[in-house]
Amino acid sequence: MCELLVGLPDVNVNGVGDWPHWLRIAITSRAERRRCPGCGGKVWLHGRAEVELVDLPCFGRPTRLVWSKQRCRCPNPTCGVITFVEHDERIAAVRAAITDRAGRWATFQVGNHGRAVSEVAKDLGCDWHTVMDAVVHHGRALIDDPKRIGITTAVGLDEVLFCRVGKFRHRAWSTQVVDVARGQLLDVVPGRDAAAGCAWFAARPVEWCEAIEWATLDLSGPYRAVFDTMIPHAVQIADPFHVVKLANHVLDECRRRVQNETLGHRGRKDDPLYRIRKLMTIAHERLDGDADAKLRGLLEAGDPRGEVRMAWHSKEVVRSIYEITDADLAAEFVTQLGIDLQDDSCPPEVQRFGRTITRWRHQIAAWHRARFTNGPTEAINNLVKRIKRVAFGISNWTNYRTRALLYAGHPNWSLLHPTPR
């Protein structure tokens, strides 16, 4: 009955002890006497060595599995092996401090459920590093599974702040490679420059890269260089959210400049332009009559040259790009819009925005052909940030990548079988 409760193959349960902080279960293996791993000959028994392993909780209490291993000695004087200790991978890995089944359970808890490593370590009654080492060990097979990354037609790139390092807290970034067609995190690479992204795509099979038809990105030059270099056949799509966000940023820059030029100070609560700073970022069709009247009246009062009004109109025109249903018409509209916004009558911020639209006109118009966005990439970024919040920050790159891919990378959890759930 005890052996049935322990649930390990080919072991004898010698005893169960009630210790102050955990249950202690003593076992020995029923395996036949092993042969020498060096020469393959018969060996002599040479005593026993006890190894204490962290095991799954038993009846709600932390448990320690004490394995009394048989030590053997090779009598062959020409053999390089003098003594060795029996080993069974089904119970625990070599030099592991945790049983195999407890390590798999901890990997599932941390990876699939997104639990904090400290919480799982508290349930097992062990050290944080014991659990994290087990998660990295068992998670490696899930992450490197060749079937995890399937064929896709659309990928996206975006960055997330990894951590702050050094005396001056310099920001270290990571780039997420995402399958936007299925909403799956494919991998995490260090930095947010083009080199790391190019290296990742170069390591993929040629046929996998050739299957990609669409590539989504925000208005990032390095990510554009990655797609231009590694998958030039894919059609690049500028994310609509980031295009409109940039238009709102241009409007805010223009408002702050006009504010300083007309009143000589930064915005204060009674200043006309400062009072409508949020109204101007709201879609015009969502404003009721009172809000629209307030917006136009305060623009008239605080914008004598009409520069902020022009920036506001340019933002609304950029939003109207995504109301067009015809792809060819949208391409012509974006091209002409980039030219019009560079007119000398426009504020300098709007002219700069027009040059940006001209550089990215093909990527902006491509959205009307595929309707893919970087939304799934941003959703994956949120999952990665959740892992960081649960961990109260991560500074070890291996731990960061492992936990992010286990949580958002869609691993095949059946590879951890048998895993208690």
Side-chain angles (χ1 to χ4, degrees):
M1 186 178 297
C2 289
E3 293 174 11
L4 181 63
L5 290 175
V6 171
L8 291 174
D10 301 328
V11 299
N12 296 321
V13 178
N14 300 329
V16 178
D18 186 7
W19 286 45
H21 301 292
W22 53 68
L23 290 177
R24 178 183 171 97
I25 303 177
I27 65 170
T28 55
S29 176
R30 283 200 298 262
E32 297 180 357
R33 185 180 298 183
R34 289 168 172 77
R35 291 186 172 272
C36 177
C39 63
K42 294 183 178 181
V43 295
W44 295 342
L45 298 183
H46 195 63
R48 290 188 174 273
E50 283 193 350
V51 175
E52 186 176 275
L53 302 169
V54 177
D55 200 11
L56 290 175
C58 183
F59 305 111
R61 296 190 58 185
T63 304
R64 292 295 184 271
L65 196 70
V66 182
W67 183 10
S68 182
K69 293 185 175 183
Q70 181 66 62
R71 180 182 285 116
C72 301
R73 179 182 181 89
C74 180
N76 186 357
T78 62
C79 180
V81 176
I82 301 176
T83 61
F84 66 93
V85 177
E86 67 171 325
H87 179 67
D88 191 339
E89 288 284 347
R90 297 174 298 177
I91 300 177
V94 179
R95 298 185 182 278
I98 188 172
T99 62
D100 185 70
R101 61 183 181 183
R104 294 174 186 272
W105 177 82
T107 302
F108 187 79
Q109 294 296 315
V110 173
N112 188 67
H113 295 314
R115 296 182 62 190
V117 176
S118 56
E119 290 181 357
V120 178
K122 185 176 181 180
D123 289 345
L124 295 176
C126 65
D127 182 65
W128 183 95
H129 296 86
T130 302
V131 175
M132 194 64 238
D133 290 345
V135 171
V136 172
H137 172 73
H138 293 286
R140 187 179 299 113
L142 302 178
I143 293 172
D144 297 338
D145 179 20
K147 296 181 180 180
R148 185 181 67 85
I149 301 179
I151 299 298
T152 182
T153 58
V155 297
L157 296 177
D158 204 3
E159 79 278 0
V160 164
L161 179 63
F162 165 42
C163 66
R164 295 179 180 271
V165 297
K167 176 182 177 181
F168 299 102
R169 311 297 293 169
H170 295 297
R171 294 183 293 179
W173 297 85
S174 68
T175 295
Q176 280 61 243
V177 186
V178 177
D179 180 351
V180 297
R182 293 180 295 178
Q184 176 189 4
L185 177 62
L186 300 180
D187 210 339
V188 183
V189 296
R192 57 175 179 174
D193 55 359
C198 288
W200 188 87
F201 279 99
R204 301 301 103 199
V206 176
E207 57 273 12
W208 186 86
C209 293
E210 291 178 348
I212 298 175
E213 301 177 12
W214 312 97
T216 64
L217 72 165
D218 52 15
L219 304 180
S220 169
Y223 294 157
R224 181 177 178 176
V226 172
F227 292 144
D228 288 341
T229 305
M230 305 309 301
I231 47 175
H233 60 278
V235 178
Q236 299 176 23
I237 303 174
D239 184 53
F241 169 80
H242 288 89
V243 175
V244 177
K245 179 182 178 181
L246 179 60
N248 276 312
H249 179 69
V250 168
L251 170 60
D252 195 54
E253 282 188 330
C254 183
R255 177 192 61 81
R256 286 183 290 176
R257 178 181 60 81
V258 172
Q259 166 78 33
N260 276 280
E261 289 179 354
T262 54
L263 299 179
H265 57 73
R266 296 176 60 184
R268 299 173 183 173
K269 64 178 182 179
D270 294 327
D271 296 337
L273 293 181
Y274 188 78
R275 291 172 60 187
I276 58 172
R277 69 192 187 282
K278 292 184 179 179
L279 280 178
M280 289 191 295
T281 62
I282 300 175
H284 185 234
E285 65 271 12
R286 296 178 59 188
L287 299 177
D288 58 18
D290 293 340
D292 184 62
K294 177 182 178 180
L295 174 63
R296 296 183 182 276
L298 292 177
L299 275 177
E300 189 70 25
D303 184 29
R305 297 189 297 274
E307 292 180 288
V308 180
R309 180 187 295 271
M310 187 172 294
W312 177 68
H313 279 298
S314 67
K315 184 264 295 187
E316 291 297 321
V317 173
V318 168
R319 289 185 57 253
S320 68
I321 294 174
Y322 302 102
E323 299 175 359
I324 302 174
T325 57
D326 183 78
D328 295 333
L329 179 60
E332 295 179 6
F333 184 87
V334 172
T335 302
Q336 187 60 44
L337 177 62
I339 296 174
D340 293 343
L341 294 183
Q342 296 181 60
D343 190 81
D344 293 339
S345 61
C346 295
E349 296 86 0
V350 175
Q351 294 181 32
R352 186 172 67 249
F353 183 45
R355 292 191 292 270
T356 301
I357 290 181
T358 299
R359 288 196 305 271
W360 291 88
R361 62 186 183 279
H362 299 299
Q363 289 83 354
I364 295 174
W367 176 84
H368 296 80
R369 297 171 53 188
R371 301 301 175 100
F372 280 115
T373 71
N374 235 18
T377 309
E378 298 292 346
I380 293 297
N381 286 348
N382 191 37
L383 295 180
V384 174
K385 292 175 183 177
R386 181 187 181 278
I387 291 298
K388 290 179 55 181
R389 288 194 296 271
V390 167
F392 292 96
I394 305 177
S395 58
N396 184 287
W397 174 258
T398 301
N399 296 348
Y400 172 72
R401 177 176 178 268
T402 300
R403 296 182 64 177
L405 288 174
L406 289 177
Y407 190 62
H410 296 184
N412 181 10
W413 290 105
S414 63
L415 297 177
L416 274 182
H417 182 77
T419 305
R421 300 188 181 184

